[in-house]
Amino acid sequence: MAATAVGPGRSTSSYSEVQHNRLIVSLPLPSVLKKPFSVIDGPPSSAAGNPGEIAKLFPNLFGQPSVSLLPGHTSGAALDHTLKIGVVLSGGQAPGGHNVISGIFDYLQEKTKNSTLYGFKGGPAGIMNCKYVELTTDFVYPYRNQGGFDMICSGRDKIESDEQFNQAAETAKKLDLDGIVVIGGDDSNTNACLLAENFRGKGLKTRVIGCPKTIDGDLKSKEVPTSFGFDTACKIYAEMIGNVMIDARSTGKYYHFVRLMGRAASHITLECALQTHPNITIIGEEVAAQKQTLKSVTDYIVGVICKRAKLGYNYGVILIPEGLIDFIPEVQQLIAELNEILAHDVIDEAGSWKKKLRSQSHDLFELLPQAIQEQLLLERDPHGNVQVAKIETEKMLIQMVEAELESKRKEGSYTEQFKGQSHFFGYEGRCGLPSNFDSNYCYALGYGAGALLQSGKTGLISSVGNLKAPVEDWTVGGTALTSLMDVERRHGKFKPVIKKAMVELAGAPFKKFASLREEWALKNRYFSPGPLQFVGPTSNETNHTLMLELGAKA
Amino acid sequence: MAATAVGPGRSTSSYSEVQHNRLIVSLPLPSVLKKPFSVIDGPPSSAAGNPGEIAKLFPNLFGQPSVSLLPGHTSGAALDHTLKIGVVLSGGQAPGGHNVISGIFDYLQEKTKNSTLYGFKGGPAGIMNCKYVELTTDFVYPYRNQGGFDMICSGRDKIESDEQFNQAAETAKKLDLDGIVVIGGDDSNTNACLLAENFRGKGLKTRVIGCPKTIDGDLKSKEVPTSFGFDTACKIYAEMIGNVMIDARSTGKYYHFVRLMGRAASHITLECALQTHPNITIIGEEVAAQKQTLKSVTDYIVGVICKRAKLGYNYGVILIPEGLIDFIPEVQQLIAELNEILAHDVIDEAGSWKKKLRSQSHDLFELLPQAIQEQLLLERDPHGNVQVAKIETEKMLIQMVEAELESKRKEGSYTEQFKGQSHFFGYEGRCGLPSNFDSNYCYALGYGAGALLQSGKTGLISSVGNLKAPVEDWTVGGTALTSLMDVERRHGKFKPVIKKAMVELAGAPFKKFASLREEWALKNRYFSPGPLQFVGPTSNETNHTLMLELGAKA
C-alpha cells in the first residue's frame, strides 16, 4: 500500500499567537547530543521480576545491556548509511508527542544523509496495514511544541498475534525499515519489546525503540524518571483547580469535588495536590493499602467538612482520582457479584434479586445513592458487564457526603448548608500546549531515540535523565525494556508486563503531601498557579513529583 | 456594629509566580483621569422603555443627565472634603472585581485627603448588617490584578423592602458615608438605583454609583459597552475548548459536547465560537426566535454529524449555552405542566399520570432520555418545582443524538460509531486571573466611580468607553441608571428592570458567526488560543464580541 494522505496536515496560518510563539521557540538539546558521542553498553541486565520467565519470553533480547550516550566519537557499530525509520503514536494523547517526532526527524536530518521518516497513521494499526505518511520538513514543522497527536494520530490496537506480527514484518520489509519508534505507555512499550523480539527472531534488520508517554505518570523507573505529558497535564489541571479554589473562597458556600484523569494510579491527583494545596485529597493507593471502604472515605470527607464548619469554613476543594473505586476492595467485590447476577438473573423491581448479594455487598449496594444503583444495573458494556468507568465518582461522593451530613444534621452535630459542585478535569489537559519541560524532554527523547537506532540498538526505551539539572546536563541513553519487565499470569499463560508505577506511600511526593494535608484540611493554604506561561523564571520548572523523587529539597 | 475582621486577607507569600507577576504590573489609566478633569452633564435622560412608569418609580432621579469626564479643572460642584465611601460586590464572581475596588481606593488616595474606603462584607447583606472592613493600602495591595471576589466576598441578597432600605440608611448614617459603589449585574444595578433613589428621597447625603459586572456579558448598552469578567471567562473557556478540539482531531472518534456557563443569554457561547470555530454552536436566542423544538435542535446536530461522517470526520466539537432549554418554548410548557401535576397528583409507576399532559408535552416527555425523565420527576427545589437548572443539557443532547443516530443506523443512513463526551466549563472561568483587558477596564471603572462620587453624582453606572482605542484614549463617565430601565409587571405591580442584553441576531457578532458556521461545520477550522498570556502583542486584545459590536472590521 502506498503512502496515504493524512490530509494536508496543519497549516500555521490558522495558529493563534501563543501557538505561533511556541513554534519559533528553539529547542535546547542535552550537550551530549550536540557533539560527537559514543553509545556505551552497560552491564548485562535482568528483569524487574521473574527473570527466568522473561528470559523465556524474550530469548533474543533478555539480558541485553542498557546503554548511555557519552561524549566521544561514535564507535564502529553505528549504521552509517541512510536510515529508513518509522514512528508510531500509541494510546491516549499526551502533550509533547509531536516533539518526540520532531526530535527523531531532526536527528535524522542532522546526523544521517537522505534518511526517511515515515509516520504510521492511527497507531499500531498503521504499522499492520502499512498506512503511513512520509514526514518532510514542511509537514513536521507546524507541529513543533504543539499539543495533540494529530500529526499522524494515534490508536489503541496492539500487535500481539502471530498474524499481526507477520503483518508488521511485511510492512517493515516493504518499507525497508531500519527501525521503528513506538511512543506509548506501559502496554505499548511492552508491545514494542515484543515486536523487537519478534523482528530479531525473524532475522529482520528492523530495530524497535520505545519512548515513555502517558499523562498518568505511571510509566517510570530509576532509568526512566518520568513519562512525558504528565507535567503539562498537571499544570493545566492545577490552573483550573487554583481558579476553583478562589471561587470556593470567594463564594464561601461550595465544596468543589474535582475528579482528575488517571484511572490506574493517582499520580496526577497527588501532583495537583502538591501544586494547589486542597483541603482534601484522596489517593487511591492509600485507600487500597488501608483497605478503606466507600463509607470510610465518605466519613473522612465528612469529618473534615464538620471540622471546617466549626472554624466557620463552609467551603472547600476536594481532589479525587478518576480510578478511586478501582482501589476499594468491597466495590470490586460488589461489581463482580453484580456482573454474575446480571448475567444469569432477572432484576426484579421488588428487589428480591438483591438476596443473591453477599451481606457486605448488599449493605454497600444499599449505601449507594439511587442514581449510582441505577447506573450499575442499567449501563453495561458490550460484554454485559457493569461499566465502572462510567461512574462519576465525584457525584457519587457528593451524594454520599450529603446523606451523611443530613444524618448528622438530624443528630444536631452539623448545622450548616452543604453544597457540592462536581468537576471532571480530563480531556482538556491531555491535548494542551506542552510545557517548557515537556517540550524539551520530548525533543531529547526523540533525538536520543534516533541516536539509539543509528547505533543499531533494539528493545530499548529512550531514557533521558538527570532532569533536576539544566537541559544541557541531561543524560541520554536507552534502557533495556526487558529489564523493566515482570510477568503476569493471564488465562494460564505468562504475559510480560511493565508494571505500572503506582504512588509509593513511602515515596517523597506522598510523604510530603501526608505531612501537609492536615494543615491544608483546616487552614486554607490554597495555591493558584494561574495559566501555563512559557516565559519567566519558573516556566522551566518541572513538577513537584519528579523533583521530590529526584531528591530535591521540599 | 464595629468593623468586622474578614480574616487577615490575602498574603502574597502564598502567591504563585504568575500571581506575583500580575501584582506588580502597573495599571494604565485613561488620560482624562490622569490630569484635572471636569464632570460635564449631558442632556436630560429618559428610560429604555415606559418612561412614565420609570418617572413614577424614581421621582428623584428620573431624567437626570448622564455625565462625561472631560479635561479641564474640576468645577465647583465637587466634594472637596475627605470622603467616606463604601463598596460592595453583588452576585456571582467575575474576574476583575478586585481591580474595581483598587481603582476606587487609588482614586481616593490620589485625589482626596484622608478619605476612607469601607468594604462591605458578603454582598448587600453587609450593608444591611453593617458588616465591613476598612480597606487599607496593605490590605488592598495583594488583590491587584488577581481573580476572585475574596477581598470582601459577595452575596446575592437584595435591598428591596422598606425595612431593608432603612437598615441600609442606618449603616450609611452610622458610617457617615458620602457614597456607596455597588459592583454587580443587571439586578444589582437596578437595586443600586433604587437605593440611590431611596437615599435621595430620605435626604441622605450618601450617593450610590453602580459598576457593570457579569461574566455572562448581558449587561451592556450603548453607554456601557461591556460588563467586566466576560473577556477573561471567555478566554479561559476558549483555551479549554481549543485543547478539546485538538483532542477531537487527534483521537478522531469523539464528539465533545461543551456546555458553557451563562444561563440567560448566549453571549459566552457565541464569543467562544468566534474564538475557536467549533463545528456546531447552539445560540439560545436563535433557537427561541425560530421557535425550535428539542427535536429540531437534535436534528440539526445529527444532520451535521451525518454530513461529517460522509467526509470521513467522525469527531467534532459542539458548544451549548447553559440556558439552552430555557429558550425552547415546548420545554417551558412541559415544565409548567409537570410542576402543576407534581403539585397535585401521584406519579404512578404505570404512567397513567402522563395522560394529564397535553399532547405536545406528552410527546416531548416521551422523547426525553430516561435519565432526564427521572431527573424531571425526582429532583425538585424547595418549592416543589422541577429543577431545570440541574438538567445537564449537554448529556441530554448526547443521549438524544445517540438515539436519533441509532434509528438512522437501522435505516442504513448512518454507519459510523458515535461517541459523545460531555463537558461543563463554568466555575473555573469566573475566578481566573483577569486578562489585561479586564484588569485595565476594571481599574478605570473603579477610578471613574471615585470621580463620579467626588463630583456628587448618584444613580449613575460607571461607564468607560471608546474601548477599541488604547487605554489612554478611553472615555470615562457615568450613565443615568434610570435611562437603562424599563418596567416589568410582577404580581400586579410595575418593577423597574435593566433589561438583559441578549444576543442580537442582527448584531455583528452573531452575523459573523452565522456567515462562517457552515464552513466550520464541515471543514475543520479549529482555532486554539492556548492559555491566557499576559505579555505579547495580542495579550491586550479584547474579545471578538466587543470589537465587532464596536464596528471593528471582521
Side-chain angles (χ1 to χ4, degrees), chain A residues 69 71 84 109 128 132 140 158 203 205 225 246 262 289 323 367 369 402 409 440 474 499 502 511:
Chain A
L69 270 59
K84 289 185 178 159
Q109 291 278 309
M128 296 187 278
Y132 63 89
V140 171
K158 285 181 186 169
K205 70 169 182 178
I246 291 180
L367 185 70
E402 242 167 23
R409 186 191 311 285
N440 296 338
W474 286 358
K499 279 246 171 105
M502 307 302 282
K511 278 165 75 178

Side-chain angles (χ1 to χ4, degrees), chain B residues 29-64:
Chain B
L29 275 176
S31 60
V32 70
L33 289 170
K34 290 193 281 190
K35 293 176 206 155
F37 54 81
S38 307
V39 179
I40 306 297
D41 285 351
S45 69
S46 181
N50 292 296
E53 297 300 329
I54 295 298
K56 278 188 247 170
L57 289 162
F58 297 93
N60 290 294
L61 294 180
F62 178 77
Q64 74 162 334

Side-chain angles (χ1 to χ4, degrees), chain B residues 478-552:
Chain B
T479 304
L481 278 162
T482 47
S483 78
L484 305 176
M485 290 200 191
D486 198 343
V487 288
E488 275 183 9
R489 215 170 166 89
R490 288 185 201 158
H491 307 295
K493 278 188 186 170
F494 282 117
K495 290 271 184 189
V497 290
I498 298 174
K499 278 246 170 106
K500 280 190 196 299
M502 307 302 282
V503 170
E504 298 281 349
L505 302 186
F510 183 84
K511 279 165 77 178
K512 176 157 190 200
F513 155 73
S515 74
L516 292 165
R517 65 174 146 185
E518 281 182 41
E519 185 183 333
W520 296 347
L522 302 183
K523 297 176 183 168
N524 300 318
R525 300 293 192 226
Y526 300 153
F527 194 87
S528 292
L532 189 54
Q533 305 290 297
F534 301 104
V535 290
T538 61
S539 65
N540 289 316
E541 283 184 6
T542 174
N543 50 82
H544 295 250
T545 301
L546 179 59
M547 286 299 111
L548 288 164
E549 284 176 345
L550 295 179

Side-chain angles (χ1 to χ4, degrees), chain A residues 228-280:
Chain A
F228 76 78
F230 174 75
D231 187 72
T232 308
C234 289
K235 284 172 176 162
I236 292 174
Y237 300 145
E239 172 200 354
M240 290 190 281
I241 295 164
N243 286 3
V244 156
M245 283 171 162
I246 291 180
D247 195 83
R249 195 181 342 223
S250 294
T251 52
K253 64 180 180 184
Y254 290 125
Y255 270 93
H256 290 282
F257 285 64
V258 180
R259 176 168 50 116
L260 291 162
M261 208 171 227
R263 184 149 290 280
S266 298
H267 296 291
I268 289 179
T269 300
L270 178 58
E271 173 64 26
C272 288
L274 291 167
Q275 286 191 27
T276 64
H277 314 170
N279 302 108
I280 297 174

Side-chain angles (χ1 to χ4, degrees), chain B residues 2-16:
Chain B
T4 320
V6 284
R10 284 205 202 176
S11 155
T12 60
S13 67
S14 65
Y15 270 18
S16 63

